[in-house]
């Protein structure tokens, strides 16, 4: 019975798999399970966790945001340029600028999807290219390197607080805030309704298009915030920063059980999906797996996760139909 309930609970199953993977790698490389390495592994996954939370809110409304990494790259480049030309600007000001710019770019995506009715995948593929192009126009293909950034700009994400870097605390704060928003706020619950049952949403006065717009704004805001975090952590800004990272973000959501058909997903699943990928990305190089095999393994995991999600959705659909049929039979027997 315990194993059956575990198999039905995606988050619990992922947590067990993550622990088993860490233990297996630790048996071969003991330093892999040291507290310092585990903290560093979570820190490495922090940006993926934050971006996956934003992507989850878009997926809940039956959309998808493929421009997140480009949003991150553009906001990161802008704050890096500002820091280079105006080093006296406070870091918190740069963080607010990055977050606000991310919100604007997310709002552009949301308006195009909501008001013009363009499919989200088409809109975000287009804006992804636009944002990358703007970076090139701003820099003419140039780089901003660590020696061109102020020490305060680079130091904040690395600053330790209660044993964890500030970057890790940012991920924890994002998890708590998004979890509270989705569970207890009216707008958060409306995101589920808008994606899971648009007809019911319409009858209850929920504008599904507006909910998509809000989800894109939130996704863009988190991506913009991560723009500063990424650049300051890796101490370099260039056109191809985080190129292709949007696929990792979508993968983390899908592995965590967030449905691409909308209306299904939890913050805990999003966290587990991101940690699963984080462990794989950190573990495979340790045991000497080729980078090409790493890509193949990650792709195989995504395909398996999608199949499991679709199978679960179909099973739920069959149960609903079965229950409806039983109800009609009862009515026929006891009119």
């Amino acid at each position: 019975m315990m194993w059956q309930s575990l198999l039905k609970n995606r988050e619990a199953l992922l947590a067990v798999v993550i622990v088993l993977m860490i233990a297996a790698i630790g048996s071969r490389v003991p330093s892999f399970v040291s507290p310092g390495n585990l903290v560093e592994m979570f820190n490495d996954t922090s940006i993926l966790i934050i971006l996956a939370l934003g992507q989850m809110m878009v997926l809940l409304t039956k959309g998808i945001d493929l421009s997140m990494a480009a949003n991150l790259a553009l906001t990161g480049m802008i704050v890096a340029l500002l820091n280079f030309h105006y080093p006296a600007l406070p870091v918190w000001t740069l963080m607010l600028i990055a977050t606000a710019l991310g919100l604007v770019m997310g709002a552009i995506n949301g308006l195009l999807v909501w008001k013009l009715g363009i499919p989200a995948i088409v809109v975000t593929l287009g804006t992804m290219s636009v944002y990358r192009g703007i970076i090139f126009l701003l820099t003419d293909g140039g780089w901003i390197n660590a020696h061109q950034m102020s020490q305060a700009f680079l130091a904040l994400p690395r600053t330790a607080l209660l044993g964890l870097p500030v970057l890790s605390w940012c991920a924890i704060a994002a998890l708590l805030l998004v979890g509270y928003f989705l569970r207890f706020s009216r707008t958060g619950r409306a995101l589920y309704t808008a994606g899971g049952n648009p007809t019911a949403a319409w009858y209850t006065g929920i504008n599904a298009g507006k909910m998509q717009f809000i989800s894109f704004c939130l996704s863009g805001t988190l991506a913009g915030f991560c723009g500063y975090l990424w650049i300051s952590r890796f101490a370099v800004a260039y056109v191809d920063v985080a190129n292709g990272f949007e696929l990792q973000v979508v993968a983390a959501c899908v592995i965590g059980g967030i449905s691409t058909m909308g209306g299904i997903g939890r913050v805990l699943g999003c966290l587990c999906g991101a940690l699963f990928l984080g462990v794989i990305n950190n573990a495979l190089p340790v045991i000497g797996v080729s980078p090409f095999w790493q890509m193949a393994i990650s792709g195989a995991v995504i395909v398996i996760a999608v199949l499991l999600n679709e199978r679960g959705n179909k099973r739920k659909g069959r149960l609903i139909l079965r229950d409806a049929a039983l109800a009609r039979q009862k009515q026929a027997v006891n009119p």
Side-chain angles (χ1 to χ4, degrees):
M1 291 295 292
M2 183 182 71
W3 285 107
Q4 290 179 352
S5 61
L6 180 63
L7 290 172
K8 292 179 181 178
N9 189 318
R10 173 68 68 86
E11 293 88 355
L13 180 60
L14 271 175
V16 170
V17 171
I18 290 168
V19 171
L20 290 176
M21 285 196 304
I22 292 174
I25 302 300
S27 66
R28 292 187 56 182
V29 185
S31 61
F32 187 77
V33 294
S34 66
N37 187 67
L38 293 177
V39 168
E40 187 62 26
M41 190 159 52
F42 180 82
N43 199 49
D44 287 342
T45 315
S46 294
I47 293 176
L48 177 60
I49 292 171
I50 298 171
L51 292 176
L53 290 169
Q55 187 71 253
M56 180 186 74
M57 289 186 280
V58 177
L59 289 172
L60 287 176
T61 63
K62 208 175 288 187
I64 190 168
D65 187 356
L66 297 179
S67 67
M68 294 190 79
N71 181 328
L72 178 157
L74 178 53
T75 55
M77 177 59 79
I78 289 173
V79 295
L81 287 170
L82 286 172
N83 180 247
F84 173 60
H85 291 290
Y86 306 100
L89 275 176
V91 174
W92 293 104
T93 301
L94 295 174
M95 291 175 65
L96 288 174
I97 290 172
T99 304
L101 288 171
L103 170 60
V104 171
M105 285 184 271
I108 291 171
N109 288 335
L111 285 172
L112 291 172
V113 173
W114 177 24
K115 293 300 184 181
L116 299 184
I118 306 173
I121 190 170
V122 176
V123 168
T124 55
L125 275 173
T127 54
M128 175 177 67
S129 299
V130 170
Y131 299 156
R132 293 282 181 189
I134 292 174
I135 300 173
F136 188 85
L137 292 174
L138 288 174
T139 63
D140 198 24
W143 292 39
I144 303 293
N145 295 306
H147 68 274
Q148 297 170 297
M149 302 176 189
S150 69
Q151 287 302 310
F153 183 87
L154 297 173
L156 182 60
R158 298 174 175 81
T159 303
L161 182 64
L162 299 178
L164 285 178
V166 168
L167 177 57
S168 295
W169 285 114
C170 288
I172 293 170
L175 285 164
L176 294 175
L177 290 171
V178 174
Y180 181 87
F181 169 73
L182 291 176
R183 183 164 185 177
F184 296 107
S185 74
R186 179 179 298 179
T187 303
R189 294 192 300 271
L191 295 181
Y192 283 96
T193 307
N197 195 333
T199 303
W202 186 82
Y203 279 110
T204 55
I206 296 172
N207 187 325
K210 185 178 180 181
M211 290 302 106
Q212 276 198 319
F213 170 74
I214 291 173
S215 69
F216 275 109
C217 288
L218 294 171
S219 171
T221 299
L222 291 176
F225 179 65
C226 286
Y228 163 73
L229 295 177
W230 183 293
I231 300 302
S232 59
R233 172 162 173 72
F234 296 105
V236 63
Y238 57 100
V239 174
D240 288 331
V241 158
N243 192 21
F245 198 67
E246 61 276 351
L247 301 181
Q248 289 272 312
V249 175
V250 174
C253 291
V254 172
I255 292 169
I258 289 87
S259 174
T260 56
M261 302 304 292
I264 299 174
R266 297 198 301 174
V267 167
L268 184 58
C270 192
L271 169 64
C272 290
L275 289 177
F276 181 85
L277 287 179
V279 171
I280 287 180
N281 293 335
N282 281 272
L284 294 182
V286 170
I287 58 177
V289 176
S290 163
F292 301 103
W293 277 109
Q294 292 175 37
M295 294 174 63
I297 292 170
S298 298
V301 168
I302 295 168
V303 172
I304 293 170
V306 170
L307 291 174
L308 290 174
N309 285 353
E310 293 305 312
R311 185 179 178 185
N313 293 340
K314 287 179 181 179
R315 186 182 295 116
K316 290 177 181 178
R318 291 193 190 101
L319 289 173
I320 292 170
L321 292 174
R322 185 194 67 186
D323 293 342
L326 289 173
R328 286 196 296 269
Q329 288 176 5
K330 289 180 180 179
Q331 287 179 354
V333 174
N334 301 310

